[in-house]
Amino acid sequence: MKNRRDFLRNTLGLGASLAAAPRLFAAEQESGASMGMDMNLDHMSHGAQRNSRIVSVETPDVPQLSWRMDGNVKEFHLIAEPVKQEIFPGRIVDLWGYNGSAPGPTIQVNQGDRVRIIVDNHLPEATSMHWHGFEVPNEMDGAPGSSQDPIPPGGRFVYEFTLHQEGTYFYHSHMAMQEMVGMIGAFIMHPKEPYKPRADKDFAIIMQEYAILPNIQVPNSMNMEFNWLTFNGKAGPATTPLIVRHGERVRIRLINLGMDHHPIHLHGHQFVVTGTEAGRQPQSTWGPGNTVLVGVAQSRDVEFVANNPGDWMLHCHLPHHMMNQMSSMVGPMSRRRDGMPAGLDMERGMGMLRQGSATSEENGPSLGRGLGVGSPAEQTVSNSPLKAGNAMQHEDIPDVQPQGMQMSKPEVSKDANSVPGFPQDAFMEGPMMAMDQMVDKPENFGLRPGWSGFMAGMMTFVRVLPPDKYDQIMELRKKQEGNKPMKMDMPGMEHKHE
Ligand SMILES: [Cu+2]
């Protein structure tokens, strides 16, 4: 970026390339129909004509929710249910989500649509669905106890409202602990009048965080320390890169519902924040940046012109959110240097309290945020039980070493163990953590060998590609789609759980 004028010209879209063929929302709906979805374009609120400049939002790794038209009502069907989800190669966890996915499938509607959402509860306990930021009648708000009775296990609640808003919204269970085990989904409202400047690519990413102890598949929703951080239900390097053609204008919609705020940083580009959880922001507010803080319960839309070719990281910049497993923070049990000290029971070993408070004289020093610094049972280095040059020892921790990892030796100096503080990243990221083959997919085609050893947690790429490379990946993607058995979640059809 040469100067501010260039920046404004590029980012505000004055002179941005419009050459790329857009994937149109209306056009996508037509192709959706050809895949067997019951869609009726005549009933689109605004008509294909008007929306022909609006691109459909992609949520990598998360399915789109199809709908059927009932008169002039767009009818969706969400099923709250337990799901088994592979958030990372070999790490299958028990989450709660919607229609087999956590986050739940993405809903896309047009401003002005009349929408009906049938919510079935297949959980073992009551739930309630909240439409976050929606200006709908109180009895449709999904606040359990105050606006409706909770939906009992096996029960159903039908929500119906007309949507006059536009922007990046989301739906989520209004039961706090359920929110923390996956129960959220994106709800995109496309504007009646297309946003200016128009975007060529439009992506949505939902951020979630889980505390999952080693050898356990169920997140601990009471824990405040999170060791698995995800974009759209995947931890890096299992996330799917956002594929962009050089010169395109890109919108990324970031949604956060968890216990932490996430500063999301993009490499190689400046962006402007164009929207919040309340819709489009006036253009006069768009200042340049490359990091946006997405607070809890917020969404932020950012836009930029992808004018700098390359594979650019997009990630949360909280250091602990750029890691996977984070085993050291769950105490001596996962460390295994000498095993867990005798007399230290399971709860203490995991850093759980049996008595007193976390700040008491007895517990305080050993239960600081993170690492158990000061605990006599703890070892002097914090990050890993490993010895320099002995990478294979890492299989002591089954969760971080699924089969198929590349396992080359990390480069460390001979005297590494004598250096206070060692190791920091030597065994957390680097060539030994690489698993390029295990996360192979069209969107990763052509990345530098070993790239996956340095991606973890809330991390993905924005790949700004020259036309030939871009077309190549699109071709690969098409081929892969063709090979997959069609998996559609069909509203109005027999659901697999029924
Ligand atoms: Cu974060």
Side-chain angles (χ1 to χ4, degrees):
M1 193 68 46
K2 276 174 227 88
N3 54 39
R4 188 173 165 86
R5 177 180 284 177
D6 271 1
F7 168 77
L8 290 174
R9 196 178 54 230
N10 285 328
T11 307
L12 301 182
L14 313 164
S17 161
L18 293 176
R23 294 174 67 207
L24 306 176
F25 187 48
E28 292 246 308
Q29 288 174 320
E30 275 181 90
S31 72
S34 74
M35 291 193 294
M37 285 193 228
D38 179 8
M39 282 187 247
N40 188 339
L41 291 172
D42 295 342
H43 287 96
M44 298 265 310
S45 320
H46 316 297
Q49 194 71 22
R50 209 159 172 193
N51 272 317
S52 65
R53 311 272 309 154
I54 295 176
V55 283
S56 174
V57 172
E58 279 181 62
T59 43
D61 300 309
V62 172
Q64 302 281 336
L65 189 62
S66 53
W67 68 87
R68 66 180 202 98
M69 294 305 300
D70 177 20
N72 64 343
V73 182
K74 211 173 252 186
E75 187 180 278
F76 296 88
H77 191 179
L78 281 173
I79 295 164
E81 62 185 357
V83 302
K84 284 209 183 293
Q85 189 154 307
E86 192 171 38
I87 58 172
F88 177 86
R91 195 64 165 112
I92 296 169
V93 294
D94 286 299
L95 302 176
W96 288 7
Y98 300 97
N99 303 33
S101 179
T106 299
I107 295 177
Q108 299 194 47
V109 302
N110 295 318
Q111 186 178 20
D113 277 351
R114 180 80 182 165
V115 169
R116 178 182 306 134
I117 302 143
I118 300 166
V119 177
D120 281 325
N121 182 9
H122 291 189
L123 296 171
E125 62 179 40
T127 189
S128 186
M129 188 75 98
H130 175 55
W131 313 96
H132 193 99
F134 290 34
E135 293 171 331
V136 293
N138 184 254
E139 63 273 18
M140 291 291 124
D141 186 52
S146 57
S147 75
Q148 68 170 83
D149 289 333
I151 312 169
R156 166 179 285 191
F157 193 93
V158 179
Y159 297 88
E160 187 169 327
F161 31 70
T162 302
L163 295 168
H164 66 91
Q165 294 161 279
E166 47 68 32
T168 305
Y169 295 82
F170 45 101
Y171 61 88
H172 65 83
S173 162
H174 211 281
M175 317 290 272
M177 294 296 106
Q178 293 177 5
E179 290 172 19
M180 289 311 299
V181 293
M183 302 196 72
I184 178 180
F187 198 119
I188 310 297
M189 301 184 204
H190 291 283
K192 234 177 238 179
E193 295 300 330
Y195 297 138
K196 280 184 197 140
R198 66 178 296 281
D200 303 295
K201 287 286 185 327
D202 200 335
F203 300 97
I205 294 176
I206 295 183
M207 290 162 260
Q208 292 167 294
E209 51 192 358
Y210 301 111
I212 313 172
L213 297 175
N215 301 319
I216 291 178
Q217 275 134 42
V218 183
N220 179 351
S221 55
M222 305 279 276
N223 199 318
M224 301 276 285
E225 295 291 334
F226 302 95
N227 58 348
W228 284 100
L229 291 298
T230 61
F231 275 172
N232 286 343
K234 299 278 185 190
T239 47
T240 298
L242 314 183
I243 305 297
V244 169
R245 192 196 290 263
H246 184 205
E248 282 185 322
R249 186 180 177 85
V250 181
R251 180 182 302 122
I252 304 176
R253 304 164 186 256
L254 303 157
I255 298 170
N256 176 21
L257 193 63
M259 291 291 295
D260 288 300
H261 312 304
H262 303 290
I264 303 296
H265 175 60
L266 173 65
H267 290 207
H269 295 80
Q270 314 307 317
F271 55 57
V272 288
V273 177
T274 58
T276 71
E277 68 281 356
R280 191 76 162 172
Q281 297 284 95
Q283 196 157 317
S284 55
T285 67
W286 300 359
N290 49 54
T291 308
V292 60
L293 185 62
V294 189
V296 173
Q298 294 187 329
S299 80
R300 290 290 179 270
D301 294 356
V302 301
E303 293 183 19
F304 59 97
V305 175
N307 55 8
N308 195 0
D311 303 320
W312 301 104
M313 282 182 168
L314 174 73
H315 63 95
C316 175
H317 224 301
L318 288 189
H320 284 193
H321 292 186
M322 302 157 68
M323 294 180 186
N324 287 334
Q325 186 65 16
M326 287 291 290
S327 54
S328 71
M329 76 182 200
V330 296
M333 277 203 68
S334 62
R335 313 283 290 276
R336 298 265 196 105
R337 191 177 61 167
D338 307 310
M340 194 164 67
L344 198 58
D345 52 79
M346 172 88 77
E347 283 93 341
R348 290 284 307 279
M350 293 291 195
M352 296 173 191
L353 295 182
R354 298 205 85 180
Q355 64 217 358
S357 75
T359 52
S360 71
E361 216 151 277
E362 190 200 346
N363 293 320
S366 60
L367 292 169
R369 185 175 166 95
L371 298 169
V373 175
S375 159
E378 200 46 281
Q379 56 199 69
T380 50
V381 293
S382 57
N383 281 355
S384 174
L386 299 172
K387 284 201 172 86
N390 190 2
M392 295 314 283
Q393 220 178 309
H394 219 58
E395 60 198 325
D396 279 356
I397 306 172
D399 286 315
V400 297
Q401 197 206 18
Q403 283 185 335
M405 288 180 62
Q406 288 161 229
M407 297 308 293
S408 60
K409 265 190 192 172
E411 266 188 76
V412 299
S413 69
K414 276 211 175 87
D415 64 345
N417 275 326
S418 67
V419 178
F422 174 84
Q424 292 299 327
D425 283 282
F427 305 101
M428 298 283 280
E429 54 181 329
M432 73 163 285
M433 299 300 285
M435 52 178 81
D436 298 4
Q437 291 306 312
M438 298 174 71
V439 292
D440 186 38
K441 60 183 102 170
E443 290 83 356
N444 292 336
F445 180 75
L447 288 169
R448 274 179 101 235
W451 65 273
S452 60
F454 296 85
M455 297 281 281
M458 289 178 167
M459 265 191 164
T460 190
F461 288 114
V462 175
R463 303 191 64 190
V464 180
L465 302 170
D468 55 325
K469 258 195 168 175
Y470 176 89
D471 291 341
Q472 203 175 359
I473 285 180
M474 287 300 140
E475 204 49 45
L476 284 170
R477 200 195 248 177
K478 224 185 275 169
K479 239 183 247 168
Q480 196 196 49
E481 301 276 294
N483 293 339
K484 264 190 218 157
M486 188 80 77
K487 190 191 164 222
M488 301 285 291
D489 190 33
M490 303 293 292
M493 287 179 63
E494 195 78 343
H495 193 273
K496 61 179 190 287
H497 299 275
E498 284 169 350

